[in-house]
Amino acid sequence: MKTERFSLLAFFATLALLLMVFAGWKTFTLNSQAWDMWHVVGHNPVGALLSGHPHGLRYVVYYPIFAVAEFVGVPPDLVFSYVCVLVLYVMSTLVSQIDSDVWSSQGHIWRRDAIVLCIFALAALMNGRLLLAFCGYLFIVSAGANWFKCREWKLSHAACVLVGCLLAAVSSGTLLAAMALSAGVVLIAYIMDSRLLKDNPLSAISIVMVLVLFVSYALIGIGKNLAYFGGDEAAVVRMLGHGAGGDIAKSIGLGDLVEQDEIPATEGLLGAVLPYWWLGVVAVALVARYYGWRPVRMVRASSPAQNLVHMSIVLAMVGGLFGYSVLMMGVIPLLLFVSGNVKPILSRVGFSA
Protein backbone atom coordinates (compact mmCIF):
# COMPACT_ATOMS: atom_id res chain seq x y z
CA MET A 1 0.00 0.00 0.00
CA LYS A 2 1.34 3.42 -0.92
CA THR A 3 2.55 5.68 1.87
CA GLU A 4 0.15 8.38 0.67
CA ARG A 5 -2.78 6.06 1.33
CA PHE A 6 -1.69 4.45 4.59
CA SER A 7 -0.87 6.29 7.78
CA LEU A 8 1.23 4.50 10.37
CA LEU A 9 0.23 7.18 12.85
CA ALA A 10 -3.46 6.45 12.29
CA PHE A 11 -2.81 2.71 12.61
CA PHE A 12 -0.94 2.98 15.91
CA ALA A 13 -3.33 5.62 17.27
CA THR A 14 -6.24 3.31 16.47
CA LEU A 15 -4.44 0.40 18.09
CA ALA A 16 -3.71 2.46 21.21
CA LEU A 17 -7.33 3.58 21.49
CA LEU A 18 -8.50 0.02 20.93
CA LEU A 19 -6.33 -1.18 23.80
CA MET A 20 -7.63 1.64 26.00
CA VAL A 21 -11.21 0.56 25.32
CA PHE A 22 -10.30 -3.08 25.92
CA ALA A 23 -8.69 -2.17 29.25
CA GLY A 24 -11.66 -0.02 30.26
CA TRP A 25 -9.68 3.23 30.36
CA LYS A 26 -11.79 4.86 27.65
CA THR A 27 -15.51 4.44 27.04
CA PHE A 28 -17.86 6.08 24.59
CA THR A 29 -21.42 6.11 25.90
CA LEU A 30 -24.72 6.09 24.07
CA ASN A 31 -26.94 9.05 24.87
CA SER A 32 -30.26 8.88 26.67
CA GLN A 33 -32.28 9.16 23.46
CA ALA A 34 -30.74 5.97 22.12
CA TRP A 35 -31.48 4.11 25.35
CA ASP A 36 -35.05 5.41 25.47
CA MET A 37 -35.68 4.22 21.92
CA TRP A 38 -34.20 0.81 22.71
CA HIS A 39 -36.49 0.40 25.71
CA VAL A 40 -39.60 1.61 23.86
CA VAL A 41 -39.08 0.40 20.29
CA GLY A 42 -36.69 -2.50 20.76
CA HIS A 43 -36.15 -4.56 17.62
CA ASN A 44 -38.44 -2.51 15.41
CA PRO A 45 -36.31 0.39 14.11
CA VAL A 46 -38.05 0.35 10.73
CA GLY A 47 -41.42 0.74 12.42
CA ALA A 48 -40.14 3.71 14.40
CA LEU A 49 -38.73 5.22 11.21
CA LEU A 50 -41.93 4.81 9.20
CA SER A 51 -44.09 6.07 12.05
CA GLY A 52 -42.42 9.47 11.88
CA HIS A 53 -41.01 9.28 15.40
CA PRO A 54 -38.70 12.30 15.92
CA HIS A 55 -35.85 9.97 16.88
CA GLY A 56 -36.68 7.21 14.42
CA LEU A 57 -33.95 8.04 11.93
CA ARG A 58 -31.16 8.26 14.48
CA TYR A 59 -32.36 5.01 16.04
CA VAL A 60 -31.71 3.31 12.69
CA VAL A 61 -28.07 4.30 13.24
CA TYR A 62 -27.98 3.15 16.86
CA TYR A 63 -30.03 -0.05 16.58
CA PRO A 64 -27.26 -2.35 15.22
CA ILE A 65 -25.20 -1.52 18.31
CA PHE A 66 -27.95 -2.67 20.66
CA ALA A 67 -28.66 -5.75 18.52
CA VAL A 68 -25.01 -6.83 18.48
CA ALA A 69 -24.63 -6.16 22.20
CA GLU A 70 -27.68 -8.28 22.99
CA PHE A 71 -26.51 -11.09 20.72
CA VAL A 72 -22.98 -11.15 22.14
CA GLY A 73 -24.10 -10.51 25.71
CA VAL A 74 -22.04 -7.40 26.42
CA PRO A 75 -23.03 -3.84 27.41
CA PRO A 76 -24.12 -1.68 24.44
CA ASP A 77 -21.71 1.05 25.51
CA LEU A 78 -18.83 -1.38 25.05
CA VAL A 79 -19.93 -2.22 21.52
CA PHE A 80 -20.41 1.48 20.84
CA SER A 81 -16.88 2.18 22.06
CA TYR A 82 -15.42 -0.30 19.59
CA VAL A 83 -17.59 1.19 16.85
CA CYS A 84 -16.20 4.64 17.69
CA VAL A 85 -12.65 3.32 17.37
CA LEU A 86 -13.52 2.04 13.90
CA VAL A 87 -15.18 5.37 13.05
CA LEU A 88 -12.03 7.25 14.06
CA TYR A 89 -9.93 5.11 11.75
CA VAL A 90 -12.41 5.67 8.91
CA MET A 91 -12.22 9.41 9.60
CA SER A 92 -8.43 9.32 9.33
CA THR A 93 -8.76 7.52 5.99
CA LEU A 94 -11.25 10.11 4.75
CA VAL A 95 -8.96 12.94 5.84
CA SER A 96 -6.14 11.35 3.86
CA GLN A 97 -8.34 11.07 0.78
CA ILE A 98 -9.66 14.62 1.06
CA ASP A 99 -6.24 16.15 1.61
CA SER A 100 -4.82 14.33 -1.41
CA ASP A 101 -7.77 15.26 -3.65
CA VAL A 102 -7.86 18.91 -2.60
CA TRP A 103 -4.21 19.88 -2.16
CA SER A 104 -2.42 17.16 -4.17
CA SER A 105 0.37 15.00 -2.81
CA GLN A 106 3.03 17.62 -2.05
CA GLY A 107 3.45 17.73 1.72
CA HIS A 108 0.53 15.33 2.00
CA ILE A 109 1.99 12.97 4.60
CA TRP A 110 2.81 15.53 7.30
CA ARG A 111 -0.46 17.40 6.75
CA ARG A 112 -2.48 14.22 6.98
CA ASP A 113 -0.72 12.94 10.08
CA ALA A 114 -1.01 16.29 11.86
CA ILE A 115 -4.78 16.26 11.33
CA VAL A 116 -5.03 12.59 12.31
CA LEU A 117 -3.23 13.37 15.56
CA CYS A 118 -5.70 16.18 16.26
CA ILE A 119 -8.65 13.89 15.52
CA PHE A 120 -7.56 11.29 18.05
CA ALA A 121 -6.80 14.00 20.59
CA LEU A 122 -10.30 15.44 20.13
CA ALA A 123 -11.77 11.97 20.53
CA ALA A 124 -10.74 12.03 24.16
CA LEU A 125 -12.99 15.07 24.69
CA MET A 126 -15.99 14.14 22.53
CA ASN A 127 -18.91 11.81 22.91
CA GLY A 128 -19.54 9.12 20.36
CA ARG A 129 -22.58 10.77 18.81
CA LEU A 130 -20.51 13.72 17.69
CA LEU A 131 -17.90 11.40 16.20
CA LEU A 132 -20.57 9.82 14.00
CA ALA A 133 -21.66 13.26 12.78
CA PHE A 134 -18.03 14.24 12.14
CA CYS A 135 -17.54 11.12 10.07
CA GLY A 136 -20.72 11.73 8.10
CA TYR A 137 -19.64 15.28 7.26
CA LEU A 138 -16.26 14.02 6.04
CA PHE A 139 -17.95 11.38 3.85
CA ILE A 140 -19.78 14.15 1.99
CA VAL A 141 -16.67 16.33 1.62
CA SER A 142 -14.75 13.30 0.38
CA ALA A 143 -17.40 12.44 -2.21
CA GLY A 144 -17.50 15.96 -3.61
CA ALA A 145 -13.74 16.52 -3.61
CA ASN A 146 -13.04 13.21 -5.33
CA TRP A 147 -15.71 13.91 -7.94
CA PHE A 148 -14.24 17.33 -8.67
CA LYS A 149 -10.80 15.76 -9.06
CA CYS A 150 -11.73 12.68 -11.12
CA ARG A 151 -14.55 14.42 -13.02
CA GLU A 152 -16.54 11.20 -13.00
CA TRP A 153 -19.51 10.62 -10.71
CA LYS A 154 -19.42 7.10 -9.33
CA LEU A 155 -21.81 4.97 -7.34
CA SER A 156 -19.37 5.21 -4.44
CA HIS A 157 -19.83 8.99 -4.38
CA ALA A 158 -23.60 8.65 -4.07
CA ALA A 159 -23.12 6.03 -1.36
CA CYS A 160 -20.82 8.39 0.56
CA VAL A 161 -23.44 11.16 0.47
CA LEU A 162 -26.11 8.72 1.65
CA VAL A 163 -23.96 7.32 4.47
CA GLY A 164 -22.84 10.83 5.39
CA CYS A 165 -26.37 12.10 5.85
CA LEU A 166 -27.37 8.96 7.74
CA LEU A 167 -24.50 9.25 10.22
CA ALA A 168 -25.16 12.97 10.65
CA ALA A 169 -28.78 12.17 11.48
CA VAL A 170 -27.80 11.46 15.10
CA SER A 171 -28.77 15.11 15.65
CA SER A 172 -31.27 17.26 13.78
CA GLY A 173 -28.80 20.14 13.54
CA THR A 174 -25.97 18.04 12.16
CA LEU A 175 -28.38 16.41 9.70
CA LEU A 176 -29.37 19.82 8.35
CA ALA A 177 -25.70 20.78 7.98
CA ALA A 178 -24.95 17.54 6.13
CA MET A 179 -27.91 18.04 3.80
CA ALA A 180 -26.88 21.62 3.11
CA LEU A 181 -23.34 20.49 2.32
CA SER A 182 -24.68 17.78 -0.01
CA ALA A 183 -26.67 20.40 -1.89
CA GLY A 184 -23.55 22.58 -1.83
CA VAL A 185 -21.65 19.96 -3.82
CA VAL A 186 -24.09 20.46 -6.70
CA LEU A 187 -24.12 24.24 -6.25
CA ILE A 188 -20.33 24.52 -6.43
CA ALA A 189 -20.25 22.33 -9.53
CA TYR A 190 -22.95 24.47 -11.17
CA ILE A 191 -21.24 27.78 -10.38
CA MET A 192 -17.60 26.87 -10.92
CA ASP A 193 -17.62 24.09 -13.50
CA SER A 194 -20.98 23.41 -15.10
CA ARG A 195 -19.36 20.84 -17.38
CA LEU A 196 -19.20 18.54 -14.37
CA LEU A 197 -23.00 18.45 -14.20
CA LYS A 198 -23.44 18.18 -17.97
CA ASP A 199 -21.07 15.23 -18.16
CA ASN A 200 -22.45 13.63 -14.98
CA PRO A 201 -26.21 14.32 -14.79
CA LEU A 202 -26.63 11.43 -12.36
CA SER A 203 -24.65 13.39 -9.77
CA ALA A 204 -27.35 15.98 -9.16
CA ILE A 205 -30.11 13.39 -9.52
CA SER A 206 -28.60 11.03 -6.96
CA ILE A 207 -27.89 13.82 -4.46
CA VAL A 208 -31.45 15.13 -4.80
CA MET A 209 -32.75 11.60 -4.24
CA VAL A 210 -30.67 11.32 -1.07
CA LEU A 211 -31.96 14.67 0.18
CA VAL A 212 -35.55 13.61 -0.50
CA LEU A 213 -35.01 10.57 1.72
CA PHE A 214 -34.03 12.78 4.65
CA VAL A 215 -36.06 15.94 4.15
CA SER A 216 -39.12 14.74 6.07
CA TYR A 217 -37.06 13.95 9.15
CA ALA A 218 -35.21 17.23 8.82
CA LEU A 219 -38.55 19.05 8.88
CA ILE A 220 -39.69 16.96 11.85
CA GLY A 221 -36.51 17.94 13.68
CA ILE A 222 -36.99 21.63 12.91
CA GLY A 223 -40.60 21.50 14.06
CA LYS A 224 -39.66 19.69 17.25
CA ASN A 225 -36.98 22.24 18.11
CA LEU A 226 -39.22 25.20 17.36
CA ALA A 227 -41.94 23.70 19.56
CA TYR A 228 -39.42 23.13 22.36
CA PHE A 229 -38.44 26.81 22.28
CA GLY A 230 -42.01 28.08 22.40
CA GLY A 231 -43.36 27.50 18.91
CA ASP A 232 -43.95 31.20 18.27
CA GLU A 233 -42.23 33.67 15.96
CA ALA A 234 -39.51 34.29 18.56
CA ALA A 235 -38.60 30.59 18.84
CA VAL A 236 -35.80 30.94 16.27
CA VAL A 237 -34.19 33.66 18.38
CA ARG A 238 -34.48 31.55 21.52
CA MET A 239 -32.85 28.65 19.69
CA LEU A 240 -29.66 30.72 19.50
CA GLY A 241 -29.19 29.93 23.17
CA HIS A 242 -28.52 26.31 22.22
CA GLY A 243 -25.38 27.33 20.36
CA ALA A 244 -22.79 30.02 19.84
CA GLY A 245 -25.50 32.59 19.18
CA GLY A 246 -26.28 32.56 22.88
CA ASP A 247 -22.71 33.49 23.76
CA ILE A 248 -22.71 36.36 21.29
CA ALA A 249 -26.08 37.64 22.53
CA LYS A 250 -24.98 37.41 26.16
CA SER A 251 -21.68 39.19 25.54
CA ILE A 252 -23.40 42.18 23.91
CA GLY A 253 -26.10 42.48 26.56
CA LEU A 254 -28.91 40.66 24.75
CA GLY A 255 -28.81 37.48 26.80
CA ASP A 256 -32.43 37.93 27.93
CA LEU A 257 -33.64 37.33 24.37
CA VAL A 258 -32.28 33.79 24.23
CA GLU A 259 -32.62 30.73 26.43
CA GLN A 260 -28.98 29.80 26.80
CA ASP A 261 -28.15 26.25 27.82
CA GLU A 262 -26.22 25.78 31.02
CA ILE A 263 -22.63 24.65 30.43
CA PRO A 264 -21.15 22.51 33.22
CA ALA A 265 -18.08 23.69 35.13
CA THR A 266 -18.24 27.29 33.92
CA GLU A 267 -18.41 29.15 37.18
CA GLY A 268 -16.05 31.87 38.34
CA LEU A 269 -13.55 33.40 35.93
CA LEU A 270 -14.16 30.79 33.22
CA GLY A 271 -17.88 31.45 33.27
CA ALA A 272 -17.27 35.19 32.99
CA VAL A 273 -14.84 34.90 30.08
CA LEU A 274 -16.40 32.08 28.05
CA PRO A 275 -19.20 34.13 26.42
CA TYR A 276 -16.55 36.32 24.79
CA TRP A 277 -14.71 33.51 22.98
CA TRP A 278 -16.09 34.69 19.64
CA LEU A 279 -14.18 37.96 19.96
CA GLY A 280 -10.98 35.93 19.72
CA VAL A 281 -12.19 34.47 16.44
CA VAL A 282 -12.89 37.97 15.11
CA ALA A 283 -9.45 39.14 16.26
CA VAL A 284 -7.74 36.24 14.49
CA ALA A 285 -9.68 37.01 11.30
CA LEU A 286 -8.64 40.67 11.46
CA VAL A 287 -4.99 39.75 11.97
CA ALA A 288 -5.19 37.29 9.07
CA ARG A 289 -6.66 40.00 6.88
CA TYR A 290 -3.87 42.37 7.85
CA TYR A 291 -1.35 39.78 6.65
CA GLY A 292 -3.04 39.39 3.30
CA TRP A 293 -6.02 37.08 3.81
CA ARG A 294 -8.74 38.07 1.36
CA PRO A 295 -11.72 35.69 1.63
CA VAL A 296 -13.48 36.76 -1.57
CA ARG A 297 -10.28 36.65 -3.60
CA MET A 298 -9.43 33.28 -2.06
CA VAL A 299 -12.80 31.82 -3.07
CA ARG A 300 -12.44 33.08 -6.63
CA ALA A 301 -8.92 31.70 -6.96
CA SER A 302 -9.67 28.34 -5.35
CA SER A 303 -10.59 25.10 -7.05
CA PRO A 304 -14.07 23.59 -6.64
CA ALA A 305 -12.68 21.05 -4.15
CA GLN A 306 -11.06 23.78 -2.07
CA ASN A 307 -14.27 25.78 -2.05
CA LEU A 308 -16.14 22.69 -0.88
CA VAL A 309 -13.88 22.67 2.18
CA HIS A 310 -14.54 26.40 2.61
CA MET A 311 -18.28 25.81 2.38
CA SER A 312 -18.16 23.01 4.95
CA ILE A 313 -16.54 25.44 7.40
CA VAL A 314 -19.01 28.25 6.70
CA LEU A 315 -22.04 25.96 7.05
CA ALA A 316 -20.74 24.68 10.38
CA MET A 317 -20.23 28.25 11.59
CA VAL A 318 -23.72 29.36 10.56
CA GLY A 319 -25.35 26.25 12.00
CA GLY A 320 -23.17 26.62 15.07
CA LEU A 321 -25.11 29.73 16.02
CA PHE A 322 -27.96 27.36 16.88
CA GLY A 323 -26.01 24.36 18.16
CA TYR A 324 -22.49 23.67 19.37
CA SER A 325 -22.58 20.19 17.85
CA VAL A 326 -22.93 21.74 14.39
CA LEU A 327 -20.18 24.24 15.13
CA MET A 328 -17.83 21.42 16.11
CA MET A 329 -18.41 19.72 12.75
CA GLY A 330 -16.33 22.46 11.18
CA VAL A 331 -13.23 21.65 13.24
CA ILE A 332 -11.76 19.00 10.95
CA PRO A 333 -12.51 20.93 7.72
CA LEU A 334 -10.85 23.92 9.39
CA LEU A 335 -7.79 21.79 10.15
CA LEU A 336 -7.76 20.69 6.51
CA PHE A 337 -7.94 24.31 5.40
CA VAL A 338 -5.16 25.45 7.73
CA SER A 339 -2.86 22.56 6.85
CA GLY A 340 -3.39 23.14 3.15
CA ASN A 341 -2.58 26.84 3.47
CA VAL A 342 0.15 26.76 6.11
CA LYS A 343 2.96 27.63 3.69
CA PRO A 344 1.34 30.76 2.24
CA ILE A 345 0.25 31.76 5.75
CA LEU A 346 3.81 31.46 7.08
CA SER A 347 5.22 33.29 4.08
CA ARG A 348 2.89 36.22 4.72
CA VAL A 349 3.98 36.58 8.33
CA GLY A 350 7.65 36.40 7.43
CA PHE A 351 8.54 32.76 8.09
CA SER A 352 9.95 30.26 5.66
CA ALA A 353 8.42 26.80 5.33
Side-chain angles (χ1 to χ4, degrees), residues 250-277:
K250 185 177 179 180
S251 64
I252 60 177
L254 299 177
D256 293 339
L257 297 179
V258 300
E259 296 181 4
Q260 191 165 23
D261 292 350
E262 293 294 332
I263 302 176
T266 55
E267 298 179 354
L269 181 61
L270 178 60
V273 173
L274 191 60
Y276 300 92
W277 64 268

mmCIF file of all heavy atoms in Angstrom, residues 250-277:
data_model
loop_
_atom_site.group_PDB
_atom_site.id
_atom_site.type_symbol
_atom_site.label_atom_id
_atom_site.label_comp_id
_atom_site.label_asym_id
_atom_site.label_seq_id
_atom_site.Cartn_x
_atom_site.Cartn_y
_atom_site.Cartn_z
ATOM 1 N N LYS A 250 -25.276 37.119 24.752
ATOM 2 C CA LYS A 250 -24.975 37.413 26.155
ATOM 3 C C LYS A 250 -23.847 38.427 26.279
ATOM 4 O O LYS A 250 -23.890 39.326 27.127
ATOM 5 C CB LYS A 250 -24.607 36.119 26.885
ATOM 6 C CG LYS A 250 -24.380 36.287 28.377
ATOM 7 C CD LYS A 250 -24.084 34.945 29.032
ATOM 8 C CE LYS A 250 -23.837 35.116 30.537
ATOM 9 N NZ LYS A 250 -23.545 33.810 31.185
ATOM 10 N N SER A 251 -22.845 38.311 25.428
ATOM 11 C CA SER A 251 -21.676 39.189 25.537
ATOM 12 C C SER A 251 -21.973 40.617 25.111
ATOM 13 O O SER A 251 -21.240 41.535 25.471
ATOM 14 C CB SER A 251 -20.522 38.630 24.697
ATOM 15 O OG SER A 251 -20.861 38.617 23.323
ATOM 16 N N ILE A 252 -23.044 40.819 24.335
ATOM 17 C CA ILE A 252 -23.396 42.184 23.914
ATOM 18 C C ILE A 252 -24.642 42.692 24.634
ATOM 19 O O ILE A 252 -25.272 43.661 24.208
ATOM 20 C CB ILE A 252 -23.599 42.261 22.386
ATOM 21 C CG1 ILE A 252 -24.733 41.338 21.931
ATOM 22 C CG2 ILE A 252 -22.316 41.932 21.656
ATOM 23 C CD1 ILE A 252 -25.037 41.436 20.435
ATOM 24 N N GLY A 253 -25.005 42.005 25.722
ATOM 25 C CA GLY A 253 -26.096 42.479 26.560
ATOM 26 C C GLY A 253 -27.483 42.094 26.115
ATOM 27 O O GLY A 253 -28.467 42.689 26.570
ATOM 28 N N LEU A 254 -27.600 41.101 25.228
ATOM 29 C CA LEU A 254 -28.915 40.662 24.747
ATOM 30 C C LEU A 254 -29.241 39.249 25.211
ATOM 31 O O LEU A 254 -30.030 38.542 24.587
ATOM 32 C CB LEU A 254 -28.964 40.727 23.214
ATOM 33 C CG LEU A 254 -28.750 42.111 22.593
ATOM 34 C CD1 LEU A 254 -28.743 42.018 21.076
ATOM 35 C CD2 LEU A 254 -29.837 43.081 23.058
ATOM 36 N N GLY A 255 -28.627 38.844 26.311
ATOM 37 C CA GLY A 255 -28.814 37.485 26.799
ATOM 38 C C GLY A 255 -30.242 37.161 27.184
ATOM 39 O O GLY A 255 -30.656 35.998 27.152
ATOM 40 N N ASP A 256 -31.046 38.172 27.530
ATOM 41 C CA ASP A 256 -32.431 37.926 27.927
ATOM 42 C C ASP A 256 -33.297 37.468 26.760
ATOM 43 O O ASP A 256 -34.381 36.908 26.968
ATOM 44 C CB ASP A 256 -33.042 39.195 28.532
ATOM 45 C CG ASP A 256 -32.387 39.575 29.855
ATOM 46 O OD1 ASP A 256 -31.786 38.676 30.482
ATOM 47 O OD2 ASP A 256 -32.474 40.749 30.246
ATOM 48 N N LEU A 257 -32.838 37.700 25.536
ATOM 49 C CA LEU A 257 -33.636 37.328 24.366
ATOM 50 C C LEU A 257 -33.523 35.848 24.023
ATOM 51 O O LEU A 257 -34.336 35.325 23.271
ATOM 52 C CB LEU A 257 -33.201 38.158 23.149
ATOM 53 C CG LEU A 257 -33.404 39.673 23.256
ATOM 54 C CD1 LEU A 257 -32.903 40.352 21.990
ATOM 55 C CD2 LEU A 257 -34.879 40.002 23.490
ATOM 56 N N VAL A 258 -32.503 35.193 24.550
ATOM 57 C CA VAL A 258 -32.281 33.786 24.230
ATOM 58 C C VAL A 258 -32.386 32.951 25.496
ATOM 59 O O VAL A 258 -32.317 33.468 26.610
ATOM 60 C CB VAL A 258 -30.895 33.569 23.575
ATOM 61 C CG1 VAL A 258 -30.782 34.363 22.294
ATOM 62 C CG2 VAL A 258 -29.772 33.943 24.529
ATOM 63 N N GLU A 259 -32.577 31.658 25.308
ATOM 64 C CA GLU A 259 -32.619 30.728 26.428
ATOM 65 C C GLU A 259 -31.346 29.895 26.381
ATOM 66 O O GLU A 259 -31.314 28.807 25.816
ATOM 67 C CB GLU A 259 -33.856 29.829 26.333
ATOM 68 C CG GLU A 259 -35.166 30.598 26.445
ATOM 69 C CD GLU A 259 -36.377 29.687 26.377
ATOM 70 O OE1 GLU A 259 -36.185 28.456 26.324
ATOM 71 O OE2 GLU A 259 -37.502 30.205 26.382
ATOM 72 N N GLN A 260 -30.282 30.431 26.942
ATOM 73 C CA GLN A 260 -28.982 29.796 26.801
ATOM 74 C C GLN A 260 -28.876 28.564 27.679
ATOM 75 O O GLN A 260 -29.259 28.570 28.845
ATOM 76 C CB GLN A 260 -27.856 30.767 27.151
ATOM 77 C CG GLN A 260 -26.477 30.243 26.777
ATOM 78 C CD GLN A 260 -25.434 31.333 26.792
ATOM 79 O OE1 GLN A 260 -25.596 32.344 27.451
ATOM 80 N NE2 GLN A 260 -24.348 31.125 26.058
ATOM 81 N N ASP A 261 -28.354 27.494 27.079
ATOM 82 C CA ASP A 261 -28.145 26.253 27.822
ATOM 83 C C ASP A 261 -27.072 26.446 28.875
ATOM 84 O O ASP A 261 -26.110 27.193 28.681
ATOM 85 C CB ASP A 261 -27.716 25.123 26.877
ATOM 86 C CG ASP A 261 -28.842 24.724 25.936
ATOM 87 O OD1 ASP A 261 -29.977 25.185 26.154
ATOM 88 O OD2 ASP A 261 -28.571 23.957 24.999
ATOM 89 N N GLU A 262 -27.240 25.745 29.979
ATOM 90 C CA GLU A 262 -26.219 25.776 31.016
ATOM 91 C C GLU A 262 -25.044 24.890 30.613
ATOM 92 O O GLU A 262 -25.232 23.759 30.169
ATOM 93 C CB GLU A 262 -26.798 25.279 32.346
ATOM 94 C CG GLU A 262 -27.849 26.212 32.943
ATOM 95 C CD GLU A 262 -27.262 27.547 33.368
ATOM 96 O OE1 GLU A 262 -26.065 27.581 33.706
ATOM 97 O OE2 GLU A 262 -27.997 28.549 33.344
ATOM 98 N N ILE A 263 -23.836 25.407 30.747
ATOM 99 C CA ILE A 263 -22.631 24.645 30.432
ATOM 100 C C ILE A 263 -21.964 24.251 31.738
ATOM 101 O O ILE A 263 -21.668 25.111 32.566
ATOM 102 C CB ILE A 263 -21.651 25.471 29.573
ATOM 103 C CG1 ILE A 263 -22.355 25.918 28.286
ATOM 104 C CG2 ILE A 263 -20.408 24.668 29.241
ATOM 105 C CD1 ILE A 263 -21.508 26.821 27.425
ATOM 106 N N PRO A 264 -21.743 22.945 31.962
ATOM 107 C CA PRO A 264 -21.148 22.509 33.223
ATOM 108 C C PRO A 264 -19.769 23.109 33.454
ATOM 109 O O PRO A 264 -19.027 23.398 32.523
ATOM 110 C CB PRO A 264 -21.053 20.976 33.050
ATOM 111 C CG PRO A 264 -22.020 20.647 31.964
ATOM 112 C CD PRO A 264 -22.041 21.838 31.060
ATOM 113 N N ALA A 265 -19.433 23.270 34.713
ATOM 114 C CA ALA A 265 -18.085 23.688 35.132
ATOM 115 C C ALA A 265 -17.662 25.008 34.503
ATOM 116 O O ALA A 265 -16.548 25.165 34.022
ATOM 117 C CB ALA A 265 -17.067 22.596 34.796
ATOM 118 N N THR A 266 -18.589 25.981 34.474
ATOM 119 C CA THR A 266 -18.236 27.287 33.916
ATOM 120 C C THR A 266 -18.513 28.395 34.926
ATOM 121 O O THR A 266 -18.992 29.467 34.570
ATOM 122 C CB THR A 266 -19.017 27.559 32.620
ATOM 123 O OG1 THR A 266 -20.430 27.430 32.884
ATOM 124 C CG2 THR A 266 -18.617 26.601 31.531
ATOM 125 N N GLU A 267 -18.236 28.131 36.176
ATOM 126 C CA GLU A 267 -18.414 29.154 37.185
ATOM 127 C C GLU A 267 -17.129 29.971 37.329
ATOM 128 O O GLU A 267 -16.087 29.628 36.788
ATOM 129 C CB GLU A 267 -18.791 28.505 38.521
ATOM 130 C CG GLU A 267 -20.114 27.727 38.472
ATOM 131 C CD GLU A 267 -20.430 27.082 39.802
ATOM 132 O OE1 GLU A 267 -19.574 27.152 40.709
ATOM 133 O OE2 GLU A 267 -21.523 26.509 39.934
ATOM 134 N N GLY A 268 -17.223 31.061 38.067
ATOM 135 C CA GLY A 268 -16.051 31.874 38.337
ATOM 136 C C GLY A 268 -15.529 32.580 37.104
ATOM 137 O O GLY A 268 -16.288 33.027 36.239
ATOM 138 N N LEU A 269 -14.200 32.669 37.016
ATOM 139 C CA LEU A 269 -13.552 33.403 35.930
ATOM 140 C C LEU A 269 -13.872 32.796 34.570
ATOM 141 O O LEU A 269 -14.142 33.517 33.601
ATOM 142 C CB LEU A 269 -12.038 33.422 36.155
ATOM 143 C CG LEU A 269 -11.210 34.177 35.099
ATOM 144 C CD1 LEU A 269 -11.626 35.644 35.051
ATOM 145 C CD2 LEU A 269 -9.721 34.043 35.400
ATOM 146 N N LEU A 270 -13.871 31.449 34.491
ATOM 147 C CA LEU A 270 -14.161 30.790 33.217
ATOM 148 C C LEU A 270 -15.561 31.140 32.734
ATOM 149 O O LEU A 270 -15.772 31.447 31.558
ATOM 150 C CB LEU A 270 -14.016 29.275 33.357
ATOM 151 C CG LEU A 270 -14.338 28.444 32.103
ATOM 152 C CD1 LEU A 270 -13.413 28.831 30.961
ATOM 153 C CD2 LEU A 270 -14.229 26.956 32.406
ATOM 154 N N GLY A 271 -16.513 31.118 33.641
ATOM 155 C CA GLY A 271 -17.881 31.450 33.266
ATOM 156 C C GLY A 271 -18.026 32.889 32.816
ATOM 157 O O GLY A 271 -18.867 33.213 31.978
ATOM 158 N N ALA A 272 -17.203 33.778 33.377
ATOM 159 C CA ALA A 272 -17.270 35.190 32.994
ATOM 160 C C ALA A 272 -16.625 35.453 31.638
ATOM 161 O O ALA A 272 -17.047 36.339 30.895
ATOM 162 C CB ALA A 272 -16.596 36.040 34.068
ATOM 163 N N VAL A 273 -15.600 34.670 31.310
ATOM 164 C CA VAL A 273 -14.840 34.902 30.080
ATOM 165 C C VAL A 273 -15.416 34.145 28.889
ATOM 166 O O VAL A 273 -15.383 34.634 27.752
ATOM 167 C CB VAL A 273 -13.361 34.500 30.288
ATOM 168 C CG1 VAL A 273 -12.582 34.576 28.977
ATOM 169 C CG2 VAL A 273 -12.720 35.388 31.340
ATOM 170 N N LEU A 274 -15.980 32.966 29.133
ATOM 171 C CA LEU A 274 -16.400 32.077 28.052
ATOM 172 C C LEU A 274 -17.326 32.721 27.024
ATOM 173 O O LEU A 274 -17.163 32.488 25.819
ATOM 174 C CB LEU A 274 -17.060 30.823 28.643
ATOM 175 C CG LEU A 274 -17.317 29.671 27.663
ATOM 176 C CD1 LEU A 274 -15.999 29.200 27.052
ATOM 177 C CD2 LEU A 274 -18.017 28.517 28.362
ATOM 178 N N PRO A 275 -18.310 33.547 27.429
ATOM 179 C CA PRO A 275 -19.204 34.132 26.422
ATOM 180 C C PRO A 275 -18.506 35.022 25.401
ATOM 181 O O PRO A 275 -19.092 35.353 24.371
ATOM 182 C CB PRO A 275 -20.196 34.947 27.265
ATOM 183 C CG PRO A 275 -20.174 34.314 28.610
ATOM 184 C CD PRO A 275 -18.754 33.877 28.798
ATOM 185 N N TYR A 276 -17.261 35.401 25.684
ATOM 186 C CA TYR A 276 -16.554 36.319 24.791
ATOM 187 C C TYR A 276 -15.562 35.612 23.874
ATOM 188 O O TYR A 276 -14.736 36.257 23.235
ATOM 189 C CB TYR A 276 -15.821 37.380 25.619
ATOM 190 C CG TYR A 276 -16.745 38.212 26.484
ATOM 191 C CD1 TYR A 276 -17.012 37.843 27.801
ATOM 192 C CD2 TYR A 276 -17.368 39.344 25.978
ATOM 193 C CE1 TYR A 276 -17.870 38.584 28.594
ATOM 194 C CE2 TYR A 276 -18.228 40.101 26.767
ATOM 195 C CZ TYR A 276 -18.477 39.711 28.072
ATOM 196 O OH TYR A 276 -19.333 40.453 28.847
ATOM 197 N N TRP A 277 -15.662 34.264 23.791
ATOM 198 C CA TRP A 277 -14.708 33.509 22.977
ATOM 199 C C TRP A 277 -14.747 33.945 21.515
ATOM 200 O O TRP A 277 -13.730 33.943 20.820
ATOM 201 C CB TRP A 277 -15.003 32.012 23.057
ATOM 202 C CG TRP A 277 -16.343 31.630 22.479
ATOM 203 C CD1 TRP A 277 -17.524 31.522 23.144
ATOM 204 C CD2 TRP A 277 -16.637 31.327 21.106
ATOM 205 N NE1 TRP A 277 -18.545 31.178 22.287
ATOM 206 C CE2 TRP A 277 -18.022 31.047 21.024
ATOM 207 C CE3 TRP A 277 -15.870 31.265 19.946
ATOM 208 C CZ2 TRP A 277 -18.652 30.714 19.837
ATOM 209 C CZ3 TRP A 277 -16.501 30.930 18.751
ATOM 210 C CH2 TRP A 277 -17.871 30.653 18.705
#
